[in-house]
Amino acid sequence: MTKPTFNMQISLGSVLQICALLVAVTAGWMRYEAGIAANSRSVENLTSKVAATEDRTRDLEQNFVRQDERMTSIFALLSRIDSRLERIEMRNGDGR
């Protein structure tokens, strides 16, 4: 079995390999930074959408509470009308 040997001379192949390695590292770093920037924009966009959704949800909840109060008021009014009608029927003796 032969031993590996190392030549201590710098050849054109070595220079080309170093340049290719530097280009690959630089391209990888730029792609990594671009991914981080895209993710940051995406997070900001989602954060604003979540805030808008929370605002709409809060508005819907407030509208629901108002509608619930109106329905309660309507039911109370209907109950009073029903009791008045019963009293009128009792006075008239209809009893229907």
Side-chain angles (χ1 to χ4, degrees), residues 6-35:
F6 296 99
N7 190 356
M8 296 303 286
Q9 296 176 348
I10 296 177
S11 65
L12 180 62
S14 300
V15 172
L16 290 176
Q17 283 182 338
I18 290 172
C19 289
L21 179 65
L22 290 175
V23 167
V25 167
T26 303
W29 182 259
M30 290 173 66
R31 185 175 175 132
Y32 174 74
E33 289 293 321

Side-chain angles (χ1 to χ4, degrees), residues 10 26 29 38 42 46 59 66-67 73-74 80 88 91 93:
I10 296 177
T26 303
W29 182 259
S42 177
L46 290 174
D59 290 342
R66 281 189 221 115
Q67 288 176 354
S73 174
I74 290 171
R80 288 194 320 250
I88 291 171
R91 268 192 244 144

Side-chain angles (χ1 to χ4, degrees), residues 56-94:
R56 286 195 309 262
T57 302
R58 190 176 310 109
D59 290 342
L60 288 172
E61 287 173 346
Q62 290 173 352
N63 287 337
F64 176 74
V65 168
R66 281 189 221 115
Q67 288 176 354
D68 191 40
E69 290 171 354
R70 288 179 188 148
M71 289 296 290
T72 302
S73 174
I74 290 171
F75 287 141
L77 179 63
L78 287 174
S79 177
R80 288 194 320 250
I81 290 172
D82 189 39
S83 65
R84 285 180 186 168
L85 284 175
E86 286 178 6
R87 281 185 276 159
I88 291 171
E89 288 175 353
M90 296 290 259
R91 268 192 244 144
N92 290 336
D94 290 341

